[in-house]
Amino acid sequence: MRRRVRHGRGYDPTAGYLADDAPAPATVRLQLNALQALCRQTFAVRMTMLALGTPFAMTNTAQGPPRYAVLAAAVLGITASYAMYRDWDRLAPRLLAHPTLMAADLMFAAILLLMASPASPLAYATVCTPLLAGLLYGWRGSGVFTGLQLVVLLTVHRAWEHRPGTGTSTLLIAGFCIGAGIIGVTLRNLMFRFGTASEALAEANSRLAVAEAVDSERARLAREMHDSVAKTLYGLALAAEALSATSSDDGAKPEAVRRQATLVASAARRAAAESRELLTDLRHHTDLTAPDVDLRAELAHRAAEFEQSTGIRTTLETQSGQLATLPHRTAHHLLAIVSEALENTRRHADATRVTLEAKSSGEGVTLRVRDNGVGLPTPLNLEESARSGHFGVLGMVERARTLGAVIHLSRCEEGGTEISVDVRSPGLDYVPGPRSRKEAASHVHS
């Protein structure tokens, strides 16, 4: 009976190496791991030694039934070894379930060795039996078959003790058998322990990957909500405040109140539409099937919309040629960065002019957003901004990193803020792993 000594979640190291065999990993079968190759090669060596030693046994056997018995034992032993070598996947489960099959095979080898003498190649075939027993059955099986093999060697020694050198050969082979049994069990335990450790490592990596995927998706959803619903709700709150102030004025005109109410209703509908888009994106991701985006047209639309809603003069500068279309995923992140930069200009910059610049080449796309406002605070601390509830700049940095791009936030020489994003090979679907906010902050240059 094997003795298990628990120590925490593992085994007590003071129990000793011989106290127990390593259990086979639950998801690793013997036929599929390295033991398969070791066992097959051991059977190949055993078959070779039997073939080489059979002539010695035949030479020392008298004519008639004894010779036929030795020949039958040789044929059965070689055939069994060859069958195990060739059809290991099919026969190994039976050998594992019925160790007596190996005991019968040992008997055939014992008959041959008894006829051939301990000095023949058959003596080295006996070493394979303890090795196989250790690989297949562990300490208990190795001990049983090593003991049986030693009994066979002792019997053969008594039959050939009159020949000089028999004692030395028998002692040498007996030592080999004991060593082979220990080596077989050691290899078996090492492989099983390695398999168990590999399973634990794979499980830990799987859990880590799931955690990283969850964190990445939460960050993505937070960015999308910040850049869509949160901004719309903020505008809705401002419109509602303006409506309240207008309606409370005794001299308010009905047209002004109606206009403010229309703005509130429009903002509410927009927030609902953006919420539906987020829910649709969560249920069915369309990045792979969505068509490419005309970046210049989208930038022109955003520039015109921003100028109309804020009164800030906004210009778009592109190169003479047509700006290349981009994959939906790349354009989505770039346009979200531009929208966030424009929103920051509207809220904080106190600017009168904004310039959008877009350039494309064979290597990628570069976008710049410049204003003539008050400029960025110095120094710019993403951790502090996130703790205070301001996630706009952090979202821009994360979006740029998702594209494998480099983002720069800096003060213009003539005053104001410049935000530039440099995307190389935008058609590549680059998806890096998550980073901490400190690592993300290292990509911001202010």
Side-chain angles (χ1 to χ4, degrees):
M1 180 176 181
R2 298 189 300 176
R3 179 171 63 91
R4 294 183 186 272
V5 183
R6 294 290 183 182
H7 181 71
R9 295 184 62 185
Y11 295 103
D12 186 355
T14 61
Y17 186 72
L18 299 180
D20 198 3
D21 289 326
T27 60
V28 178
R29 295 181 181 275
L30 183 62
Q31 299 94 314
L32 303 180
N33 59 29
L35 283 179
Q36 174 183 1
L38 287 176
C39 292
R40 291 185 63 189
Q41 293 303 319
T42 303
F43 273 109
V45 172
R46 189 171 183 274
M47 178 178 60
T48 303
M49 293 296 102
L50 288 175
L52 293 176
T54 298
F56 289 86
M58 297 293 291
T59 301
N60 298 319
T61 305
Q63 295 287 344
R67 176 164 292 190
Y68 294 143
V70 170
L71 182 60
V75 171
L76 290 174
I78 294 174
T79 302
S81 297
Y82 176 73
M84 294 301 301
Y85 174 77
R86 188 188 65 178
D87 298 324
W88 172 261
D89 292 345
R90 184 167 57 89
L91 298 178
R94 298 182 181 181
L95 186 61
L96 288 171
H98 304 286
T100 51
L101 295 176
M102 182 172 286
D105 187 68
L106 183 149
M107 181 182 67
F108 301 144
I111 295 174
L112 294 176
L113 182 60
L114 188 62
M115 298 294 104
S117 82
S120 69
L122 280 171
Y124 295 94
T126 62
V127 177
C128 298
T129 300
L131 178 60
L132 285 169
L135 291 172
L136 295 175
Y137 308 122
W139 287 114
R140 185 185 302 175
S142 176
V144 170
F145 282 97
T146 300
L148 293 175
Q149 196 65 73
L150 293 178
V151 171
V152 170
L153 288 174
L154 179 61
T155 304
V156 173
H157 172 262
R158 290 182 176 178
W160 290 88
E161 60 183 355
H162 60 277
R163 175 175 292 187
T166 298
T168 303
S169 299
T170 303
L171 185 61
L172 180 63
I173 299 301
F176 284 162
C177 289
I178 296 173
I182 295 174
I183 292 173
V185 178
T186 302
L187 290 175
R188 178 182 187 273
N189 288 344
L190 285 176
M191 291 179 185
F192 283 169
R193 288 190 174 99
F194 179 77
T196 302
S198 298
E199 286 182 353
L201 179 60
E203 182 180 357
N205 288 336
S206 177
R207 292 180 178 177
L208 181 61
V210 170
E212 290 179 347
V214 170
D215 290 342
S216 177
E217 184 62 17
R218 290 178 62 184
R220 187 189 71 83
L221 183 58
R223 289 193 300 268
E224 298 298 336
M225 292 186 65
H226 176 273
D227 294 342
S228 58
V229 179
K231 289 181 180 179
T232 304
L233 291 177
Y234 179 78
L236 177 61
L238 293 179
E241 290 176 358
L243 175 62
S244 175
T246 302
S247 60
S248 63
D249 188 0
D250 295 336
K253 296 181 179 181
E255 293 80 6
V257 175
R258 189 181 301 110
R259 185 169 55 254
Q260 294 294 337
T262 301
L263 290 176
V264 172
S266 176
R269 285 193 296 269
R270 184 176 178 182
E274 290 172 345
S275 299
R276 285 195 298 270
E277 290 179 0
L278 281 176
L279 292 174
T280 301
D281 183 62
L282 287 175
R283 292 184 176 274
H284 180 65
H285 211 54
T286 59
D287 284 352
L288 298 178
T289 58
D292 292 346
V293 177
D294 186 347
L295 185 61
R296 187 184 187 285
E298 290 293 332
L299 289 174
H301 173 73
R302 277 169 169 71
E305 187 180 57
F306 180 75
E307 183 173 350
Q308 182 180 2
S309 62
T310 61
I312 301 174
R313 185 162 59 90
T314 307
T315 58
L316 173 63
E317 298 179 359
T318 60
Q319 51 192 179
S320 57
Q322 184 179 2
L323 195 63
T325 58
L326 297 179
H328 179 271
R329 175 176 172 274
T330 304
H332 172 74
H333 288 299
L334 289 179
L335 292 172
I337 292 174
V338 171
S339 296
E340 178 61 29
L342 293 175
E343 182 67 15
N344 288 339
T345 298
R346 184 181 71 82
R347 291 188 185 183
H348 311 298
D350 194 21
T352 60
R353 186 178 69 255
V354 176
T355 301
L356 302 181
E357 181 181 345
K359 295 181 179 180
S360 67
S361 64
E363 296 181 350
V365 174
T366 301
L367 291 181
R368 288 188 177 88
V369 182
R370 296 194 302 271
D371 63 49
N372 62 346
V374 298
L376 288 169
T378 304
L380 181 62
N381 191 318
L382 292 185
E383 289 283 347
E384 184 64 29
S385 298
R387 281 195 295 267
S388 61
H390 298 88
F391 301 100
V393 176
L394 178 62
M396 288 192 291
V397 173
E398 290 179 344
R399 288 185 183 277
R401 183 182 160 272
T402 300
L403 297 176
V406 178
I407 184 170
H408 296 268
L409 288 81
S410 58
R411 286 178 175 269
C412 300
E413 294 182 358
E414 63 274 12
T417 301
E418 177 178 307
I419 299 175
S420 65
V421 184
D422 189 12
V423 185
R424 296 300 177 185
S425 300
L428 295 179
D429 191 16
Y430 174 75
V431 184
R435 291 185 183 176
S436 65
R437 288 174 181 169
K438 290 184 178 179
E439 291 176 306
S442 65
H443 283 256
V444 180
H445 304 270
S446 58

